[in-house]
Amino acid sequence: MLAQGLLALAKGDAVGAKLVLSRCLKLAHRRVGNTQLVAQVLNVLGPLLASQGDREGADQMLTSSATLSRALGDAPSLLAALRAACEAGIGTDAEQGAAYLAKKEGQLAERVGDVVGSGAHAELVQVIHAHWPDAPLAGHLP
């Protein structure tokens, strides 16, 4: 369902995407109970709402996503929520949000560096980089 919503967005069907993503959010929350999926859907829905002029709804969704991601220790999702909020100009203090985002990106880069430096993960990191050069963390890979 998440893929369907993203496909609808890519095709320019914001209304259809919103409907599919809303159903996906309900399913992920109520039936599946997957908190990480909930955070991901909120990261997609937040900017969509902001683009439609619903800044309050976007703020709530991105704040919830950031809270869930922080609790799960899911740094990439947390960064995605913070980045989306900064880009949409959502939040009480954009300067503070940008500083926090920069801090978290630095921490993530440090963690990725640790993983790249460990022999156990080096082959996996190289495979990911070779097959997905524009991965969100590609800038942190060798």
Side-chain angles (χ1 to χ4, degrees), residues 2 6 42-43 52-53 58-60 80-81 102 104 123-124 126 131 141-142:
L2 178 58
L6 291 171
L42 291 171
N43 278 343
Q52 294 178 335
D59 183 31
Q60 290 174 356
K104 287 298 180 183
E123 183 180 344
L124 177 61
Q126 289 175 352
H131 293 288
L141 299 176

Side-chain angles (χ1 to χ4, degrees), residues 20 23 29-30 35-36 45 50 86 101 106 109 111 116 121 129:
V20 171
R23 280 186 272 162
H29 181 65
R30 292 184 183 154
T35 307
Q36 190 171 19
L45 273 171
C86 286
L101 177 60
R111 287 183 188 164
V116 169
H121 297 96
H129 186 57

Side-chain angles (χ1 to χ4, degrees), residues 126-142:
Q126 289 175 352
V127 169
I128 291 171
H129 186 57
H131 293 288
W132 193 18
D134 59 341
L137 301 176
H140 304 291
L141 299 176

Side-chain angles (χ1 to χ4, degrees), residues 80-114:
L82 293 172
R83 187 174 294 114
C86 286
E87 288 172 359
I90 296 172
T92 54
D93 186 354
E95 217 174 273
Q96 183 181 12
Y100 185 74
L101 177 60
K103 173 184 167 189
K104 287 298 180 183
E105 284 177 334
Q107 289 174 350
L108 180 61
E110 190 176 306
R111 287 183 188 164
V112 170
D114 291 345

Side-chain angles (χ1 to χ4, degrees), residues 41-76:
V41 174
L42 291 171
N43 278 343
V44 176
L45 273 171
L48 177 61
L49 290 177
S51 72
Q52 294 178 335
D54 185 2
R55 293 177 56 79
E56 185 177 327
D59 183 31
Q60 290 174 356
M61 290 195 176
L62 292 171
T63 299
S64 294
S65 177
T67 301
L68 291 171
S69 299
R70 189 176 298 120
L72 291 169
D74 184 1

